[in-house]
């Protein structure tokens, strides 16, 4: 693509000379004799760089620069003056000029400066395109599903996005909490600022504290230089703390102070710093139960729970499984260079009958595996994992009151009642994996029973 340069100068001979020099470099050149006609050219053509005289019949190029930057922020301007002076030069740079040069004395600098200015323009355009792709990737419109549950959640998220309120996203693992956090950020007043995500379950207490608050050089062994924390990185933007229920209790107190005062102290430092960020937190734990049992600070829980959004599990979105399946099949067919596969009825039926303990994340993995294993042009149930191919009907047979199965079923029901149906918490208290719990629920027919 040919770059477009606009020259604004009332001296016709100089303007024509500059135009010939710049055209010889392969650029497309436009000319204007004053600011008014120059601005009209900008409205008609996508200009990359402007060479603009400072003194013009209808105004001053330094002042005009602000108008250009306000309306065409990606465009770069090089100001030309017959008599350079320091105050004008300083003001020109403050107003956003790429450079400020003297006619005649600095003519040999014009072409190198043009190339440097164009490099900056290209970089800014790439950044803008990347930001648009990110915004479209995480917009609410890209969240797949038409079930009532997901539509209600999207509606809540859209309403809170425009505010600065703290948001608590709850729900089982794999339900898309980070996708919602990103969408809320991209639809907020902080769009374009940093979105910083930290998983609280990934690090030890000491490392998590350093990652969150930053540290000073020498604060601990291995702290060879100052390090910015995620709180500082999120200044002006959004901080997303995933699995916040896993945060050690003493760090919870420090986080609470930041939320209340906007101040924090890096590890090994004594001087408080400030950070203005919006917090979005996520957890698959029941923080109310955790706080009641003193495993999570109740004051932090109430501070986080300003606006809770509970994401539905995939089992609660049965009608969305088909839509999600078609989307992932298309995605992975393209990724593996296959023609988009058809989906057999038995394949989809097995998916809809499955309990999905890993939710959308598990569905995505299953579809990718199935697409890889498929040989023909249709996905059939024989490419699904063994446990999905051989799902059994929920057990309805009567049990002896003295059998181990009866005792186990009764105990699971009691724990489910205690946790008010929270399956993640039930699995934790039973000291079994969530997948094991779902298998037991299926086996004993507890899934749809009243608990």
């Amino acid at each position: 693509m040919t770059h477009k340069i606009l020259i604004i100068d009332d001296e016709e001979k100089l303007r024509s000379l500059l135009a010939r020099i710049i055209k010889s470099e392969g650029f497309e050149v436009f000319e204007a004799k004053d600011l008014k006609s120059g601005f009209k050219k900008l409205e008609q053509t996508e200009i990359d760089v402007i060479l603009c005289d400072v003194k013009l019949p209808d105004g001053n190029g330094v002042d005009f620069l602000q108008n250009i930057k306000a309306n065409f922020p990606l465009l770069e301007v090089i100001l030309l003056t017959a008599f350079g002076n320091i105050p004008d030069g300083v003001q020109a740079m403050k107003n956003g000029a790429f450079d400020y040069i003297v006619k005649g004395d600095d003519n040999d600098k014009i072409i190198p400066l043009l190339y440097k200015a164009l490099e900056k323009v290209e970089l800014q355009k790439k950044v803008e395109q990347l930001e648009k792709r990110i915004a479209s990737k995480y917009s609410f419109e890209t969240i797949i599903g038409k079930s009532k549950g997901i539509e209600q959640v999207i509606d809540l998220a859209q309403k809170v996005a425009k505010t600065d309120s703290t948001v608590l996203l709850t729900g089982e693992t794999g339900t898309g909490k980070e996708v919602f956090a990103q969408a809320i950020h991209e639809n907020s007043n902080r769009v374009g600022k940093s979105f910083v995500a930290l998983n609280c379950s990934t690090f030890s207490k000491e490392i998590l504290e350093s990652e969150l608050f930053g540290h000073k050089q020498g604060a601990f062994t291995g702290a060879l230089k100052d390090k910015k924390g995620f709180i500082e990185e999120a200044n002006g933007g959004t901080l997303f703390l995933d699995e916040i229920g896993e945060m050690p209790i003493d760090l919870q107190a420090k986080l609470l102070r930041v939320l209340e005062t906007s101040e924090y102290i890096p590890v090994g430092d004594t001087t408080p710093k400030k950070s203005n960020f919006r917090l979005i937190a996520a957890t698959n734990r029941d923080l109310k139960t955790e706080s009641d049992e003193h495993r999570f600070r109740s004051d932090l829980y109430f501070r986080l729970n300003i606006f809770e959004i509970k994401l539905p599990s995939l089992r609660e979105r049965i009608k969305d499984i088909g839509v999600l399946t078609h989307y992932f099949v298309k995605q992975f067919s393209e990724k593996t260079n296959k023609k988009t596969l058809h989906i057999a009825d038995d394949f989809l039926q097995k998916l809809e009958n499955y309990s999905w303990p890993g939710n959308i994340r598990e569905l995505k993995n299953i579809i990718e595996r199935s697409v890889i294993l498929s040989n023909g042009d249709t996905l059939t149930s024989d490419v699904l994992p063994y446990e999905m191919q051989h799902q059994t009907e929920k057990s309805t047979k009567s049990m002896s009151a003295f059998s181990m199965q009866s005792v186990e079923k009764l105990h699971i029901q009691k724990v489910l009642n205690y946790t008010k149906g929270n399956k993640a918490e039930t699995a934790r208290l039973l000291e079994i994996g969530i997948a094991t719990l779902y298998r037991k629920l299926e086996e004993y027919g507890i899934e749809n029973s009243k608990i």
Side-chain angles (χ1 to χ4, degrees), residues 230 346 352:
F230 278 56
D346 70 322
E352 291 177 344

Side-chain angles (χ1 to χ4, degrees), residues 193-405:
K193 304 292 185 180
S194 298
F195 176 87
V196 184
L198 179 65
N199 190 315
C200 299
S201 67
T202 307
F203 306 102
S204 66
K205 173 192 167 295
E206 292 74 19
I207 295 176
L208 180 59
E209 183 176 19
S210 172
E211 291 293 321
L212 197 54
F213 299 99
H215 64 248
K216 291 289 288 181
Q217 180 181 352
F220 50 84
T221 304
L224 303 178
K225 59 181 180 180
D226 290 359
K227 180 184 184 301
K228 284 184 179 181
F230 278 56
I231 287 175
E232 185 174 355
E233 295 283 1
N235 188 28
T238 301
L239 175 63
F240 174 54
L241 294 181
D242 199 4
E243 303 296 353
I244 197 167
E246 310 298 327
M247 181 178 284
I249 203 99
D250 46 349
L251 288 189
Q252 293 175 24
K254 292 187 176 184
L255 176 61
L256 180 63
R257 183 177 183 276
V258 180
L259 296 177
E260 291 178 341
T261 66
S262 297
E263 289 189 346
Y264 67 99
I265 301 175
V267 178
D269 202 352
T270 55
T271 307
K273 291 187 174 185
K274 279 190 171 288
S275 181
N276 171 22
F277 61 91
R278 190 224 190 123
L279 179 66
I280 301 177
T283 182
N284 59 10
R285 288 178 176 263
D286 181 345
L287 291 190
K288 177 66 170 64
T289 301
E290 294 290 303
S291 65
D292 288 345
E293 297 181 1
H294 309 294
R295 292 191 295 271
F296 194 88
R297 291 183 65 103
S298 58
D299 46 5
L300 178 57
Y301 167 65
F302 292 124
R303 185 66 179 76
L304 294 175
N305 199 34
I306 294 171
F307 198 98
E308 181 182 355
I309 300 177
K310 188 177 189 308
L311 302 190
S313 66
L314 194 53
R315 293 178 308 285
E316 298 170 284
R317 301 173 53 189
I318 298 296
K319 67 183 292 186
D320 291 337
I321 289 176
V323 182
L324 286 162
T325 299
H326 280 88
Y327 173 79
F328 289 135
V329 167
K330 184 176 185 298
Q331 183 184 80
F332 291 117
S333 294
E334 291 172 357
K335 187 177 177 181
T336 55
N337 297 315
K338 291 184 176 182
K339 183 180 176 182
T340 301
L341 300 166
H342 299 294
I343 301 169
D345 291 343
D346 70 322
F347 182 88
L348 191 57
Q349 187 174 2
K350 293 287 185 184
L351 298 183
E352 291 177 344
N353 289 339
Y354 186 57
S355 58
W356 297 111
N359 292 290
I360 297 172
R361 186 181 297 130
E362 185 181 9
L363 173 63
K364 183 179 179 181
N365 293 340
I366 291 293
I367 299 302
E368 182 174 14
R369 176 185 184 276
S370 299
V371 169
I372 292 169
L373 291 176
S374 65
N375 291 317
D377 59 359
T378 302
L379 283 175
T380 55
S381 61
D382 59 350
V383 294
L384 290 169
Y386 178 85
E387 63 272 18
M388 294 184 72
Q389 291 185 48
H390 299 86
Q391 295 175 75
T392 56
E393 293 296 319
K394 294 172 185 174
S395 175
T396 56
K397 64 182 179 181
S398 60
M399 299 181 197
S400 164
F402 300 102
S403 71
M404 286 298 295
Q405 285 184 320

Side-chain angles (χ1 to χ4, degrees), residues 42-80:
L42 291 175
E43 292 177 323
Q44 295 170 344
T45 309
E46 188 179 342
I47 300 295
D48 296 304
V49 178
I50 297 176
L51 288 171
C52 183
D53 192 10
V54 170
K55 303 294 183 184
L56 288 158
D58 57 346
N60 184 292
V62 176
D63 298 331
F64 183 60
L65 183 58
Q66 289 181 303
N67 190 17
I68 293 173
K69 281 294 184 180
N71 289 278
F72 308 96
L74 300 184
L75 193 153
E76 291 300 328
V77 181
I78 299 170
L79 288 173
L80 308 171

